[in-house]
Amino acid sequence: MSALRAVASALAVPRDTTSLELMDDPDCDRDRLFATYRQFRAVNALVAGWRRVYLRDVRPVLDRTRASKLLDIGFGGGDIPLALARWAAHDGLRLEVTAIDPDERAHEFVETRGLTGSGVDFRAASSSELVAAGESYDIVTSNHLLHHLDPDALTGLLADSAALAPLTLHSDIERGRIALAAFGAATKPLDRGSFVHFDGTLSIRRSYTAPELRAVAPDGWTVRREFPYRLLLTRDQTLTPQGSPQPAGVPSAT
């Protein structure tokens, strides 16, 4: 065990809670920001694992006749909510997808890309605004959002998520030296035209490890480790016909 602890210690990357990503600067270069949004689709397809999450956790709770409502928080380039809507439609399942981001630049990006008429309701809004408006959904998702938040904002996001939907799936990176080295090397060629390399490597340094995220997650939330270097923070209060909580990804009995 001591040898394993020594290896783990050698591979540990200290968490950076003070540095800010370039894209979070309201005065950052717009062209590089929009290039970053465009590249999110390829990056997320390679590392984010949302196809797996859809098949295991989202699809089993959808229906062919009753429309389910999904809210994606912090949509960025819009690729994740668009993919979820597309997969559900392909499977013949009814899913109404709303995607929100308080950053007006993200909304401007999806408008300039012609994505606002693509079957996803993109809005410039925050989760707290939807809670205040009394909105409700069946599923809440986010991708690479948790590491952007300070402790108070994280607490607020999780409270909003619990108020908005019975099933929440927040996906993010797990910090690690191998992840940092691999992502840094793979994205170095993109360094000059977008923020993907700089912000992506900083995102890894800002992200939680599984024990760290478990330590700050409220009661009722579960942290799953996913491949490669992923964390899925979940809360599942969906009910079986008998009225007991149903584990995520397990279809109701019919």
Side-chain angles (χ1 to χ4, degrees), residues 22-89:
L22 296 175
M23 66 182 298
D24 289 335
D25 180 354
D27 297 319
C28 72
D29 183 270
R30 180 182 179 278
D31 291 340
R32 293 185 71 189
L33 174 65
F34 279 23
T36 304
Y37 284 151
R38 287 193 298 272
Q39 290 165 357
F40 279 167
R41 180 177 180 179
V43 171
N44 287 329
L46 287 172
V47 304
W50 274 98
R51 178 64 177 171
R52 175 180 60 234
V53 174
Y54 167 76
L55 292 173
R56 184 191 60 210
D57 300 305
V58 177
R59 188 171 70 174
V61 302
L62 304 184
D63 194 270
R64 294 183 182 276
T65 56
R66 184 188 70 85
S68 298
K69 296 168 61 180
L70 182 146
L71 173 68
D72 185 69
I73 301 176
F75 62 76
D79 55 295
I80 300 299
L82 286 168
L84 293 169
R86 183 173 66 252
W87 294 332

